[in-house]
Amino acid sequence: MASRILSRRKRDLALWQKQGVCFVFIVYDLLPALHPDWFTQRARKAFAQWLTTLAIHATALLCISNSAADETRNWFLTHYKLDSADLPISWFHLGADFEGGATQNEASATNNCVATTVQPTLLMVGTVEPRKGYEQAIAAMELLWSQGNDVKLVIVGKRGWNVDDLVARIERHPELNNRLLWFPDTTDQQLINLYQQATGVVMASNGEGFGLPLIEAAKFGVPVLARDIKVFREIAGDNVSYFSGTTASNLAAPLQSWLLEMIAGKAPDIRELHWLTWAESATHLKRKLVSLRA
């Protein structure tokens, strides 16, 4: 069924192209192509077909970060021999809007599990999938707990793919609903409440096209510890703390140091990060589209 729909769509694109229609596609990332082991076979196959469609029909591509644009340029040059003259590739940044706070009922629902206490609360936001770094984060927290650190980890994100072992580990964890919390389904208002209660936000993802939780954390002034990858440097600069490595100790030690920095008021100030509203992001996108017509 999916293949028939794709074939029909390709025919439509070819017909419209003959009639003079230009196609500009937005590329969020190239992760299924660059890191196929993070995704399902079905996703890898569909993504490969989509890339071929772009190579044939795209007039231009707009990516959601400069980092994603660099990866996209390299990919299309290497795999399709398309340079900037053949396929212009540019970028714009996403935005974030949060209005108001949590309603009384929604606040109560999360406050039952995440109380405002002296116990540090670390928040991770994103689908529970292989690239997000949840397994390393849980292992790091276990190391901190074994050393007597009373820290809470809150995970917000629906269950993704290829994570059966990770989900089983979370659901059977002795700290579940105590110092390890998982909210697979939250409203925007509940997420706002969790950001407002968090001591810090951890961004452990191994790859992103943008990294929207960085902007959300900036909105609420919550310090961030992020994996040291190019796109996070692009979005957050020196306004967050960084860590590298993939083992539990690679994250546990920076976590402990970062928590001490926050207590001493020496952690980077996320509030210095400049971020766009969705209206501003849309304006940037519109300008990019207009420039393509010039």
Side-chain angles (χ1 to χ4, degrees):
M1 179 66 177
S3 61
R4 290 199 301 271
I5 293 174
L6 180 60
S7 296
R8 186 166 64 248
R9 181 57 63 208
K10 286 182 177 179
R11 290 196 299 271
D12 291 339
L13 291 173
L15 176 61
W16 296 335
Q17 203 163 31
K18 288 181 180 179
Q19 295 173 347
V21 177
C22 295
F23 301 107
V24 180
F25 294 86
I26 293 179
V27 178
Y28 275 64
D29 59 65
L30 289 190
L31 295 177
L34 296 173
H35 301 280
D37 53 309
W38 293 345
F39 299 88
T40 64
Q41 182 178 357
R42 180 179 179 181
R44 295 194 298 267
K45 182 179 179 180
F47 196 78
Q49 292 175 332
W50 183 67
L51 289 178
T52 300
T53 299
L54 298 188
I56 295 172
H57 298 290
T59 305
L61 301 177
L62 292 177
C63 302
I64 61 172
S65 66
N66 190 25
S67 300
D70 285 342
E71 292 177 343
T72 303
R73 288 189 197 96
N74 291 335
W75 179 269
F76 278 89
L77 181 60
T78 301
H79 292 81
Y80 297 101
K81 308 304 179 186
L82 296 173
D83 60 21
S84 57
D86 303 312
L87 182 62
I89 298 173
S90 188
W91 59 274
F92 68 104
H93 278 169
L94 300 180
D97 291 323
F98 275 122
E99 298 297 335
T103 65
Q104 184 174 357
N105 290 338
E106 289 171 327
S108 297
T110 50
N111 277 330
N112 288 337
C113 296
V114 189
T116 303
T117 67
V118 295
Q119 181 187 38
T121 298
L122 304 180
L123 178 64
M124 296 181 71
V125 180
T127 302
V128 178
E129 54 167 295
R131 68 185 166 101
K132 293 292 186 177
Y134 286 117
E135 192 165 0
Q136 182 187 10
I138 292 172
M141 295 300 293
E142 290 170 342
L143 187 55
L144 291 180
W145 293 330
S146 71
Q147 296 170 351
N149 295 278
D150 189 22
V151 185
K152 184 176 292 185
L153 176 63
V154 179
I155 296 171
V156 178
K158 65 181 181 180
R159 176 175 179 159
W161 49 90
N162 298 342
V163 288
D164 290 348
D165 291 344
L166 175 58
V167 168
R169 180 179 180 180
I170 294 173
E171 292 178 340
R172 298 170 186 169
H173 203 285
E175 290 291 345
L176 184 63
N177 298 324
N178 182 22
R179 291 189 292 190
L180 174 61
L181 306 178
W182 180 23
F183 296 102
D185 184 26
T186 62
T187 66
D188 287 345
Q189 291 296 329
Q190 288 170 334
L191 181 58
I192 289 171
N193 193 52
L194 290 169
Y195 270 113
Q196 290 172 334
Q197 295 179 55
T199 307
V201 170
V202 177
M203 290 283 289
S205 182
N206 290 283
E208 294 286 345
F210 185 77
L212 196 57
L214 291 171
I215 308 302
E216 295 171 344
K219 169 69 176 179
F220 294 104
V222 185
V224 174
L225 177 65
R227 189 180 300 279
D228 194 356
I229 58 177
K230 183 179 177 182
V231 69
F232 289 168
R233 289 279 183 178
E234 174 187 341
I235 304 302
D238 295 330
N239 299 302
V240 307
S241 300
Y242 293 95
F243 76 95
S244 301
T246 59
T247 69
S249 59
N250 288 152
L251 178 52
L255 270 174
Q256 195 165 37
S257 298
W258 177 56
L259 287 168
L260 292 174
E261 287 177 354
M262 284 193 285
I263 292 172
K266 296 181 179 179
D269 191 347
I270 189 70
R271 292 172 297 181
E272 297 296 323
L273 190 157
H274 174 70
W275 52 274
L276 303 176
T277 65
W278 278 116
E280 290 169 333
S281 175
T283 297
H284 285 207
L285 173 58
K286 182 173 66 174
R287 289 172 181 167
K288 293 290 184 179
L289 291 173
V290 170
S291 68
L292 291 172
R293 297 177 57 188

